[in-house]
Amino acid sequence: MTTTMTIFKCPHCSAEYEMIMTHISFRQLSYANCQVCWKPMYSWASTRVPRFTLLVQPDNTSRP
């Protein structure tokens, strides 16, 4: 299994996430909603699947 970590910002509210991409053995079609504004922020149809961890909310406060 291969993973890649990047910083991702929600295009709607600018909440900042750690995004870790993982390769899986099958193709997955899905999407992720922002934990702050609840709007769809990322979608995929691939064997590369993201996992998001909220780091900074739009008001620049860190997630506890």
Side-chain angles (χ1 to χ4, degrees), residues 2-8 17-22 48 51 53 55:
T2 305
T3 60
T4 305
M5 192 283 286
T6 57
I7 299 298
F8 177 86
Y17 291 85
E18 174 185 78
M19 180 173 76
I20 298 177
M21 298 297 286
T22 303
R48 295 184 69 217
R51 184 186 56 143
T53 303
L55 299 176

Side-chain angles (χ1 to χ4, degrees), residues 4 6 14-15 20-22 24-25 32 34 37 40 46-47 61:
T4 305
T6 57
S14 297
I20 298 177
M21 298 297 286
T22 303
I24 58 175
S25 61
C34 177
C37 70
S46 168
T47 58
T61 58

Side-chain angles (χ1 to χ4, degrees), residues 3-61:
T3 60
T4 305
M5 192 283 286
T6 57
I7 299 298
F8 177 86
K9 285 191 176 188
C10 172
H12 307 287
C13 72
S14 297
E16 193 171 296
Y17 291 85
E18 174 185 78
M19 180 173 76
I20 298 177
M21 298 297 286
T22 303
H23 290 278
I24 58 175
S25 61
F26 57 93
R27 184 179 171 103
Q28 184 183 60
L29 172 64
S30 194
Y31 65 95
N33 286 337
C34 177
Q35 294 176 357
V36 177
C37 70
W38 297 103
K39 293 180 181 177
M41 64 175 186
Y42 194 88
S43 63
W44 61 94
S46 168
T47 58
R48 295 184 69 217
V49 177
R51 184 186 56 143
F52 295 93
T53 303
L54 181 62
L55 299 176
V56 179
Q57 298 183 42
D59 62 2
N60 289 326
T61 58

